[in-house]
Amino acid sequence: MKTTKHLLYLSIATFIMYACGNKQEVAEQESDLIEITNQQFETDSMQLGEIETKLFESIVKCNGTIVPLPNGIAKLNAPISGIIKSINCSNGESVDKNQHLIEITGNEIIEIQKEFAEASANYKRIKSEYERVKSLYNEKVTAEKDFILAETEFKVSMAQYSGLKLKIESIGLSTSKIENGEFYSSYLLKSPIKGYISNFNVSIGSYIDSQVELLEVINPDMLQVKLSVFANEIANLKKGQTVRFKSTNTSDYQLATISSIGVAIDNETKSIECYAAITGKRAINPIAYEFVESEIVISTDTVRALPSDAIVKTDTGYAVLVLDKLENNNYYFRKVDIESGRKNNNFLEILNEQLKGKILIKGTYNIII
């Protein structure tokens, strides 16, 4: 009887010890969870979310400069030296193609008209003589040497006349009027393109040489981005890739498309020059020769990602908090270590394929794990 009682007591004691051990194990398991009260959840503006599918870009960052296209800039020089008589434009002014900008006078313009008038008269006289000798030579009346001499004089005279005629026409004067003795006292410089005046630094009465640049005309609708790309990145570039650029004073990016890729390294910058055509709508026109921050989109991938605010730093790396249960208005999270990839626009690529469920994506800054 006593033995039976002893066995009964032993069984009860064993059951109680097992039950207590099981409870202790459950408590230990529950202690691995991070408890957040509903009040803390609301006070810290916490938010739950899930892993999202995001479009990630691989980019190449580089420096850039806004420069005109070859047909978008014109540099004006005086074809004939002289003195500035009048100025019909100013720096920053918008001008149309063929608009009169500067009037130039001086002895040089008079002298070239005089030379042309004389060359014209001489050419007509020699041409008439050449045609007479040629006719006689064809009829075997005159000697061949006389014909060759007349032909040589005619070609020399024609060359002088044609050369001076081209010069006169290049400054916009009528050759027929000059041949009739109607000389001009000045000539006008015209804008070869539509655009805005820049680098204008002359004044009325100043003497200008034909080698001196008087001004520039830049068309703001014909600008492009010159990119300085390091040689190790060139292999990733292709025509047609998207370029985003912005000035240091703005936060909004504008778009461009790569139009040409250089093949030579600049000895000063140790980079390769590439060019991108500006596309899309422009809130404001870029400024010529302005420095811009640029990035070239070389590829895009679809990845699983979480907001950067969801990532918690740990002693061993990084983790996220996955919701385990919601009980008595309290949230219970378990820590899950993550393997991260690229970062793009405040999102981080998550490489853990099995990570699922509700995740704390906002308000993790006060949590220590």
Side-chain angles (χ1 to χ4, degrees):
M1 184 68 176
K2 289 183 179 180
T3 304
T4 303
K5 287 183 178 180
H6 288 153
L7 289 172
L8 178 61
Y9 292 151
L10 181 61
S11 299
I12 294 171
T14 303
F15 175 76
I16 292 172
M17 289 178 63
Y18 174 78
C20 291
N22 191 41
K23 287 182 180 178
Q24 183 178 359
E25 184 180 348
V26 171
E28 287 178 357
Q29 288 177 351
E30 289 184 351
S31 68
D32 290 338
L33 298 179
I34 299 170
E35 180 183 355
I36 296 176
T37 66
N38 185 63
Q39 182 180 358
Q40 182 184 353
F41 193 91
E42 293 179 355
T43 301
D44 289 348
S45 299
M46 293 182 177
Q47 185 177 332
L48 295 174
E50 297 181 353
I51 289 184
E52 301 179 44
T53 300
K54 289 287 182 181
L55 197 64
F56 267 36
E57 298 174 338
S58 296
I59 62 174
V60 172
K61 293 196 173 185
C62 57
N63 294 328
T65 309
I66 303 298
V67 297
L69 288 161
N71 292 333
I73 182 172
K75 298 178 182 290
L76 264 68
N77 296 69
I80 299 174
S81 302
I83 298 171
I84 294 181
K85 182 178 180 180
S86 64
I87 297 173
N88 303 316
C89 62
S90 59
N91 265 319
E93 182 181 347
S94 172
V95 295
D96 294 323
K97 184 177 181 179
N98 293 324
Q99 181 175 327
H100 296 165
L101 304 180
I102 300 174
E103 185 179 7
I104 300 173
T105 188
N107 293 332
E108 289 85 349
I109 183 63
I110 305 298
E111 188 63 29
I112 194 172
Q113 291 178 89
K114 176 176 174 293
E115 291 176 4
F116 174 69
E118 292 175 350
S120 175
N122 193 46
Y123 169 69
K124 290 176 181 178
R125 179 184 61 80
I126 294 178
K127 181 181 179 182
S128 177
E129 178 63 17
Y130 164 70
E131 290 175 348
R132 186 186 69 82
V133 173
K134 182 179 180 181
S135 177
L136 294 174
Y137 175 72
N138 290 335
E139 295 176 359
K140 310 296 184 181
V141 175
T142 188
E144 182 180 6
K145 66 175 183 178
D146 294 332
F147 169 72
I148 293 175
L149 179 61
E151 184 180 45
T152 302
E153 290 180 350
F154 168 71
K155 289 182 178 181
V156 170
S157 175
M158 183 173 62
Q160 292 175 341
Y161 170 74
S162 298
L164 287 169
K165 183 178 181 181
L166 290 174
K167 280 188 177 182
I168 294 294
E169 290 175 341
S170 70
I171 60 178
L173 303 183
S174 171
T175 55
S176 59
K177 286 186 176 182
I178 296 173
E179 286 175 318
N180 291 329
E182 301 177 33
F183 283 18
Y184 295 85
S185 61
S186 62
Y187 69 94
L188 296 168
L189 276 183
K190 301 177 183 178
S191 176
I193 64 172
K194 176 183 177 181
Y196 288 82
I197 302 291
S198 66
N199 293 334
F200 187 34
N201 55 2
V202 295
S203 57
I204 293 176
S206 58
Y207 180 82
I208 53 170
D209 188 83
S210 58
Q211 303 300 319
V212 176
E213 182 182 309
L214 303 179
L215 55 88
E216 285 182 347
V217 181
I218 297 176
N219 187 342
D221 296 327
M222 300 181 68
L223 297 176
Q224 62 183 340
V225 186
K226 182 175 74 172
L227 305 166
S228 297
V229 183
F230 289 112
N232 62 328
E233 300 284 5
I234 282 293
N236 297 319
L237 269 58
K238 297 178 182 178
K239 288 184 179 180
Q241 288 175 332
T242 298
V243 178
R244 290 191 290 262
F245 67 95
K246 70 179 185 69
S247 67
T248 54
N249 300 322
T250 62
S251 57
D252 295 332
Y253 279 95
Q254 296 190 60
L255 298 180
T257 303
I258 291 184
S259 56
S260 63
I261 300 172
V263 294
I265 296 178
D266 186 288
N267 289 328
E268 293 185 5
T269 62
K270 305 302 179 185
S271 61
I272 298 174
E273 291 184 356
C274 303
Y275 290 88
I278 299 174
T279 58
K281 295 182 179 180
R282 308 180 188 183
I284 55 173
N285 277 323
I287 301 172
Y289 310 118
E290 177 185 23
F291 172 82
V292 291
E293 300 173 4
S294 308
E295 54 187 34
I296 305 167
V297 181
I298 59 174
S299 65
T300 55
D301 299 302
T302 301
V303 302
R304 301 168 75 244
L306 281 171
S308 299
D309 290 343
I311 312 303
V312 181
K313 185 172 176 56
T314 67
D315 293 336
T316 57
Y318 295 95
V320 294
L321 300 179
V322 180
L323 182 66
D324 187 88
K325 62 181 178 178
L326 180 59
E327 188 175 88
N328 298 326
N329 285 331
N330 292 338
Y331 296 82
Y332 293 88
F333 294 92
R334 54 188 170 85
K335 183 192 74 170
V336 177
D337 293 328
I338 63 164
E339 185 180 354
S340 60
R342 295 164 290 176
K343 187 174 182 181
N344 186 61
N345 291 332
N346 295 321
F347 274 83
L348 188 68
E349 180 183 9
I350 304 300
L351 302 178
N352 307 54
E353 291 292 337
Q354 302 303 320
L355 183 59
K356 297 178 182 179
K358 295 290 184 180
I359 299 170
L360 189 62
I361 62 171
K362 188 176 180 182
T364 60
Y365 50 87
N366 284 331
I367 299 176
I368 300 175
I369 58 175

